[in-house]
Amino acid sequence: MTLETHDRAQFTAMENGTQEDWMKIASHFGPFAANGGKRVLDHLKLLDGDYGGFPVDRLQHSLQTATRAHRDGRDDDYVVMALIHDIGDTLGAYNHPDIAAAIIKPFVSEELHWITAQHGIFQGYYFFHYLGMDRDLRENFRGHPHFQACAEFCEKYDQSAFDPAYDSAPLSFFEPMVMKLFERPKQSLYARALDDAA
């Protein structure tokens, strides 16, 4: 969709922006931000069919991780974190946890953000030694308040979510949870300011 010129800011450098320019930008922010959940769901679909050598594709792994968490009684925020923990796989081969953590940060507790950001190192406990790496790298975080929560996420839901026979819920089952979580940030002052201005 192309916006008419009068619906867009007129500056060519931010330092020349005006109140009117920024009100125009803010008026577009709200509707765009409100569709964040849909964009997350669309990006998750990119994991479909991408096996990377694993027994299940990356989407099925994500669905299985989230389904296991849901069936274990975890709250919706936790389940959505479990669903998108590997969403960065298609963009960041070397730092996928950072991508997922950045996406989810404004919407979840500090603990869930930390689990997302560190799950790659904690998951390494189960396979790093097969690749000539130190499986105990997670011990560098021993004593952190969220150490046990991250270890538990990997043990109960992440490392065990590669079963081709597991009856995972479909992505549509998680859609309401995703849409609700990404409706309004809990932590971003920048997002709140733009949302309020709109």
Side-chain angles (χ1 to χ4, degrees):
M1 178 175 89
T2 303
L3 293 175
E4 297 295 326
T5 304
H6 67 275
D7 290 331
R8 291 180 278 155
Q10 299 302 303
F11 58 76
T12 57
M14 282 186 168
E15 65 184 351
N16 300 322
T18 66
Q19 182 75 34
E20 182 182 1
D21 287 330
W22 286 99
M23 289 301 98
K24 287 177 182 177
I25 292 167
S27 74
H28 292 275
F29 176 80
F32 179 78
N35 281 317
K38 183 180 182 317
R39 289 190 300 277
V40 166
L41 290 165
D42 287 346
H43 196 84
L44 276 169
K45 293 173 187 173
L46 296 177
L47 304 178
D48 190 17
D50 183 356
Y51 286 83
F54 288 95
V56 298
D57 69 31
R58 296 181 197 281
L59 177 59
Q60 288 306 310
H61 169 67
S62 299
L63 293 172
Q64 193 174 143
T65 304
T67 301
R68 289 177 181 278
H70 176 72
R71 290 177 181 162
D72 199 32
R74 297 294 182 160
D75 67 25
D76 287 358
D77 287 7
Y78 193 104
V79 171
V80 173
M81 179 276 293
L83 179 68
I84 74 164
H85 76 285
D86 281 345
I87 197 170
D89 275 346
T90 59
L91 295 172
Y94 298 100
N95 67 332
H96 79 274
D98 297 329
I99 294 168
I103 291 169
I104 206 167
K105 183 177 182 178
F107 303 95
V108 296
S109 68
E110 197 276 329
E111 178 181 90
L112 292 183
H113 173 255
W114 199 87
I115 291 170
T116 309
Q118 304 306 329
H119 82 270
I121 290 172
F122 278 65
Q123 189 81 326
Y125 175 78
Y126 299 97
F127 70 91
F128 279 175
H129 52 297
Y130 295 120
L131 302 175
M133 299 168 63
D134 180 3
R135 72 182 300 192
D136 291 318
L137 282 177
R138 70 182 188 174
E139 291 303 315
N140 292 321
F141 296 102
R142 180 71 68 181
H144 189 280
H146 306 312
F147 180 96
Q148 192 53 45
C150 191
E152 181 180 57
F153 168 73
C154 289
E155 179 185 358
K156 293 179 77 172
Y157 312 122
D158 196 2
Q159 68 86 24
S160 61
F162 296 94
D163 181 356
Y166 188 80
D167 180 29
S168 296
L171 188 58
S172 59
F173 175 82
F174 300 105
E175 183 172 346
M177 295 179 215
V178 172
M179 295 303 290
K180 182 179 177 186
L181 181 69
F182 286 95
E183 273 179 1
R184 187 161 183 85
K186 297 176 181 170
Q187 302 173 36
S188 173
L189 293 176
Y190 171 72
R192 286 182 189 167
L194 281 174
D195 201 30
D196 291 343

